[in-house]
Amino acid sequence: MKALILKDLYVILNQKNSLLMLITLFVIASFFLGDTGMLLIFLTVLSMTLINITLSNDETSHWNRFVNTLPINKADIVKSKYILSLILILFMVIIVFPIFLLTQLSQSNILLQLLI
């Protein structure tokens, strides 16, 4: 199952330039707008889109035919997709949480300056 997850991660990392550009753009936009909800929604949708990308890549490369010849249960294939989605969501939360804290701190500093 570890190899199946790694295969999907390699497919995702193949598109790292566009992913980093999108994530950076939304991180900067959410920080300056002070709306971390927008970033949270975007990253959640992005992680689900990445799962769909791996599924479509499997379909176009006829991976299903090959994986059926391996001694892997079909349940393990499905579990690997679910585990990958959990890993991606966890990664996205790790990205969002510090930005959420920074925006909250910057907004509280602004409020403190307005009160003084």
Side-chain angles (χ1 to χ4, degrees):
M1 187 171 350
K2 180 181 173 185
L4 293 172
I5 295 171
L6 283 175
K7 176 201 66 85
D8 289 336
L9 285 175
Y10 289 142
V11 167
I12 292 170
L13 288 177
N14 232 359
Q15 302 169 359
K16 66 182 174 233
N17 292 336
S18 60
L19 289 174
L20 286 175
M21 184 179 66
L22 281 172
I23 290 172
T24 305
L25 177 71
F26 273 90
V27 164
I28 291 170
S30 70
F31 182 73
F32 285 116
L33 294 175
D35 185 16
T36 54
M38 176 183 70
L39 181 65
L40 181 64
I41 291 169
F42 167 73
L43 291 178
T44 304
V45 169
L46 180 65
S47 63
M48 294 302 118
T49 303
L50 292 175
I51 296 297
N52 287 337
I53 288 171
T54 60
L55 289 171
S56 67
N57 187 31
D58 289 350
E59 188 175 321
T60 57
S61 66
H62 303 290
W63 171 254
N64 295 333
R65 271 197 248 161
F66 176 71
V67 79
N68 287 334
T69 63
L70 299 175
I72 299 173
N73 296 336
K74 290 184 180 186
D76 288 339
I77 297 168
V78 174
K79 285 179 194 175
S80 72
K81 295 293 183 184
Y82 279 110
I83 291 172
L84 179 69
S85 64
L86 289 174
I87 290 170
L88 288 174
I89 290 173
L90 180 66
F91 180 70
M92 299 304 170
V93 167
I94 290 171
I95 291 173
V96 170
F97 188 69
I99 296 166
F100 176 75
L101 289 177
L102 285 174
T103 54
Q104 294 301 319
L105 288 175
S106 68
Q107 288 175 356
S108 66
N109 287 339
I110 292 171
L111 289 175
L112 286 175
Q113 290 175 356
L114 289 175
L115 293 175
I116 296 176

